[in-house]
Amino acid sequence: MTIHLGGTTIDCENPRALAEFWAAAMDYKISEDYGGEFVMLLPEGSALGEVPYLGLQRVPEKRDGKNRAHLDFHTEDRLAEVERLVGLGASVLGEEKIPGLTWSVLADPEGNEFCVASSTE
């Protein structure tokens, strides 16, 4: 293979401010900050290229409509994790359930959607 996933980038109005939310949400650190225009987050102790980063990129337009792609997270205690994320500034948009899986749809402080799921029995 000649390519690998470098990371995932979220378009936003204020990368530095949104980096605070995502760093706390994922227990990541700011790895690179390119003048506040593009901020890269990595897990503590990781270096760029070792694991995919989460990037936050300044764009002039506000988000309009549903995300075409979003981040999915998995946890053993979905309700506790959702409560923690809301405390950091996320908003709950809804909950979905299919046999074996339940997930909450949330939005970060700029309205970018993401999901937190847990297995159900």
Side-chain angles (χ1 to χ4, degrees), residues 74-81 116-119:
H74 192 272
T75 183
E76 294 302 314
D77 190 345
R78 182 181 53 82
L79 295 177
E81 193 61 23
V116 176
S118 62
S119 300

Side-chain angles (χ1 to χ4, degrees), residues 5-80:
L5 180 64
T8 299
T9 298
I10 298 173
D11 291 345
C12 59
E13 290 181 58
N14 188 336
R16 285 181 176 154
L18 200 54
E20 292 179 28
F21 169 81
W22 283 109
M26 297 172 56
D27 195 24
Y28 274 33
K29 65 177 175 65
I30 294 175
S31 170
E32 305 290 332
D33 183 338
Y34 299 94
E37 296 298 311
F38 186 69
V39 177
M40 298 169 78
L41 303 173
L42 286 171
E44 192 70 45
S46 297
L48 192 58
E50 291 179 346
V51 297
Y53 62 81
L54 178 64
L56 302 161
Q57 175 177 284
R58 184 183 311 277
V59 295
E61 67 277 355
K62 292 189 181 289
R63 192 180 74 80
D64 184 30
K66 188 176 182 330
N67 295 12
R68 295 288 294 193
H70 65 268
L71 301 174
D72 284 331
F73 298 96
H74 192 272
T75 183
E76 294 302 314
D77 190 345
R78 182 181 53 82
L79 295 177

Side-chain angles (χ1 to χ4, degrees), residues 21 25 82-93 106-109 114:
F21 169 81
V82 167
E83 183 177 329
R84 183 183 75 83
L85 293 164
V86 168
L88 293 172
S91 302
V92 177
L93 302 179
L106 294 99
D108 71 17
F114 63 100

